[in-house]
Amino acid sequence: MNFFRSTFFILSIALGLNLFLNTYRLSDRDLGTAWDEGFYAQVARNIAGDLKNLKAPILYTNGVEIDHDTYPPRAKVIIDKPPLLMWLGGILGRLISPSILVFRSVSIAASLIATLAFFLILQSFGNRRNALMGAFIFATHPLLIAYSRVFMTDVLFLALVLLVALFLLKSTDGENPKLAIVCLGIFSFLAFLTRQMSGLPLFLCFIVFIF
């Protein structure tokens, strides 16, 4: 098969376009997401400063206007805000730099994973050409690009939901259903750690599914 018509080549273009659109002129400047992104970034910086705070993330008020009655200066935030995004940002910030630009790379990576998972889901229905077309449209969708450029839970949760759907399909007709079920459980739990109320139904459905 001609390389330029191959699945790998076309999928690489889709992922490359996604990466380019997500990173084009991206910087540390505020993109209008205001309070939420500031909240996540402050907690991630705190984790990056001391990994002991992975266990109980705390919020520093420096540079973030918050309701002090709801969030004291060293409030534990793990209950109000599920921790996975802040954990990932904090660890990455510790390894590279605790900047908002580094934190936003979590969403960018999740966008690439979501695109690949979306392609594999469509391909499982048997039409590779339609799967490539769908992945291309998905990768360049304005809403995906907009949310991939900010440090928030939206795209990370989307990627995890698509991974749950992918391994659900593989658990029913894949070559290794036991491994698929394990992956299904892991990604369901990670979705719960990303958005509690939105991710809880996925995790509960997984529990029902295995029993």
Side-chain angles (χ1 to χ4, degrees), residues 74-101:
R74 293 181 64 82
K76 292 183 179 180
V77 300
I78 197 168
I79 295 176
D80 185 72
K81 295 286 187 180
L84 184 61
L85 179 73
M86 297 178 283
W87 283 346
L88 293 174
I91 293 171
L92 200 60
R94 179 79 172 188
L95 293 174
I96 303 175
S97 169
S99 70
I100 191 66
L101 186 60

Side-chain angles (χ1 to χ4, degrees), residues 30 32 143 148:
D30 176 36
L143 280 177
S148 298

